[in-house]
Amino acid sequence: MAIVVGDKVPYFKALNSKGELFESSSIIGKQPLVLYFYPKDDTPGCTAQACNFRDNFSEFQSLGAVIIGVSSDDVRTHQRFQSKYDLPFDLLADPTQALRKLFGVPTNLFGLLPGRVTYIIDASGTVIGIHDSQLPSKHYTKSIELLKKVG
């Protein structure tokens, strides 16, 4: 069952791009989170999306929000991607797609392409917005608009 606006984010854990265990309880319920699922590291759309979040990172910081990206790529691929584009936020490895399943992230293009979905979560751990679009440029704008409204 997919997570919807108004749901509390369930506990999850995954390895980050440093190979360290990330546990959602380190952020959820403490500060806002923008959790974005994307198809694949170092592809044109995913790179544009990550760089858009990077280029506007200070705006998210000013609102107290954390950004985390999730794809099925492994830790080593995430390390290269993060280093190549100087991404100042965590990327979580989800090779078994357990996090995608937990959140109910749909696939697109007849099930061939992993979905591109951003969850905007408030400081209490409640989903306040979901942006489901293959257009990478809209994820930043939708996230920041919503965070400013509730901030």
Side-chain angles (χ1 to χ4, degrees):
M1 187 157 114
I3 289 178
V4 297
V5 172
D7 284 353
K8 286 287 190 182
V9 174
Y11 171 81
F12 63 90
K13 61 184 177 180
L15 292 179
N16 67 16
S17 49
K18 296 175 189 147
E20 300 167 342
L21 184 64
F22 168 84
E23 295 186 64
S24 62
S25 57
S26 67
I27 294 173
I28 301 296
K30 298 176 182 169
Q31 61 191 116
L33 171 64
V34 174
L35 184 69
Y36 78 97
F37 289 82
Y38 63 100
K40 187 159 182 56
D41 288 343
D42 224 0
T43 57
C46 296
T47 299
Q49 182 178 21
C51 290
N52 206 351
F53 278 118
R54 176 203 64 202
D55 294 346
N56 296 285
F57 187 70
S58 63
E59 195 168 0
F60 286 96
Q61 282 186 309
S62 72
L63 295 167
V66 173
I67 300 169
I68 297 177
V70 181
S71 81
S72 59
D73 293 297
D74 63 22
V75 170
R76 197 170 283 167
T77 302
H78 278 338
Q79 286 171 344
R80 285 192 299 267
F81 184 55
Q82 192 171 35
S83 176
K84 183 176 181 179
Y85 295 101
D86 196 26
L87 303 178
F89 48 83
D90 257 342
L91 300 175
L92 299 182
D94 188 27
T96 64
Q97 299 191 15
L99 294 182
R100 276 187 181 277
K101 291 173 188 158
L102 179 65
F103 278 78
V105 177
T107 56
N108 292 313
L109 294 175
F110 308 105
L112 299 174
L113 186 64
R116 183 184 310 277
V117 179
T118 298
Y119 296 85
I120 301 95
I121 302 157
D122 71 10
S124 74
T126 301
V127 176
I128 58 170
I130 299 172
H131 184 66
D132 181 355
S133 171
Q134 282 299 323
L135 300 173
S137 62
K138 298 289 184 193
H139 289 260
Y140 151 73
T141 54
K142 296 292 184 184
S143 299
I144 208 72
E145 285 170 7
L146 191 53
L147 287 169
K148 284 181 176 179
K149 277 185 191 174
V150 299

